Each structure stands twice: as C-alpha cells, then as structure tokens.
Amino acid sequence: MSDPTAPPQETALTVGGHDPGLEKCLEDGLDAFNAAATDDAGRTGFSVRVTDAEGELIGGLTAWTWGGLCGIHLLWVREDSRAGGWGTQLLRAAEEEAVRRGCDRATVSSYTFQAPGFYQSQGYAEVGRVPGIPGGHADVYLYKELKG
C-alpha cells in the first residue's frame, strides 16, 4: 500500500527504442485480457524446421494456436532451396500440427511482394488487404479451413 503522506509520483510518458521488457509485459497483459474475453486459456506457439545434412537451416515456420485458430506467424526458406517444395512441406506440417491441437482454420498475412500467391495455391483465400506498405505494396490477409 502506498504511503498517503508521501508526495505524489509524477506520471511519465517516454518514447524510446525497442523495449523487450515492455513488449513482454504488454503480451502478458493482452494474453490475460484475451483469455478472459474468450474463455480460452490463450495462445500456444510451435515451430517447424528443416535442416540440411550439415545441420544448416533450409527453412522454418513459426505459428500459434488459439481457440481452434492457427496463425502462421513466419515462414521462410533460404533462397537456394525455394524451388524444392520446402515451403509447401513446412506449411503442410504446420497445418497437420494445428489440426492435432484442435484447430479447424488457419490465417496468415503476406506482403504483396512476398508470397500471397503461394498461400492461395495452398488453399488459402484472401479475406482482406491493408494498403500503404512501402513501395506501393499491401499486406494481404488469407484464411483457410483445415480438414482433420
């Protein structure tokens, strides 16, 4: 409890660089708020990776699941391996894991200069886009119903 005889503390608004401690605090607060609002315990993350014979990363994917929804966060395949089907294999593995975790739908966003066409070829449908990305691009939001 605060001391009623102590002088009041001044409120401070600051702007600075990336603050991992603040980011963690905000994520924890929003996760708690979201869990209470949706009667769901919250998001859990997972990853999928592929490495070559030397143990070097060929590509990977990070995602989260929450209340039956899988969110593909990041998917990347190194340039010399992009024609090898690894993106498809990573995405399929993630979708299979999402179904194992009880998900029946998935979402992802991709800038127009990245891979919205790839996701569409994998059964995702565009559900919206946000213009104004540098270079005249947009952020494309895609959605797919998963089959168990």
Side-chain angles (χ1 to χ4, degrees):
M1 183 159 194
S2 62
D3 178 0
T5 62
Q9 297 290 331
E10 290 193 36
T11 302
L13 175 68
T14 59
V15 177
H18 181 246
D19 184 337
L22 175 61
E23 188 169 357
K24 174 75 170 115
C25 184
L26 297 176
E27 286 174 352
D28 291 348
L30 284 170
D31 285 348
F33 178 86
N34 294 345
T38 62
D39 293 325
D40 192 281
R43 298 187 334 176
T44 58
F46 70 93
S47 63
V48 182
R49 71 169 53 220
V50 62
T51 54
D52 63 20
E54 291 78 40
E56 296 295 318
L57 185 66
I58 291 174
L61 179 151
T62 60
W64 49 263
T65 59
W66 178 39
L69 177 66
C70 174
I72 306 300
H73 181 233
L74 300 170
L75 190 161
W76 174 84
V77 176
R78 75 180 187 211
E79 192 169 348
D80 68 345
S81 299
R82 289 190 183 146
W86 290 115
T88 298
Q89 291 184 58
L90 289 162
L91 187 59
R92 282 189 188 148
E95 291 173 350
E96 290 169 5
E97 177 62 20
V99 168
R100 277 193 291 280
R101 291 170 174 238
C103 294
D104 61 1
R105 58 206 184 281
T107 185
V108 65
S109 72
S110 180
Y111 297 129
T112 51
F113 60 85
Q114 290 176 326
F118 164 74
Y119 291 107
Q120 289 168 327
S121 75
Q122 302 301 311
Y124 287 75
E126 182 177 331
V127 293
R129 62 176 53 206
V130 176
I133 303 302
H137 296 284
D139 193 357
V140 181
Y141 289 82
L142 303 116
Y143 175 87
K144 179 180 181 179
E145 291 191 14
L146 301 176
K147 296 179 178 40

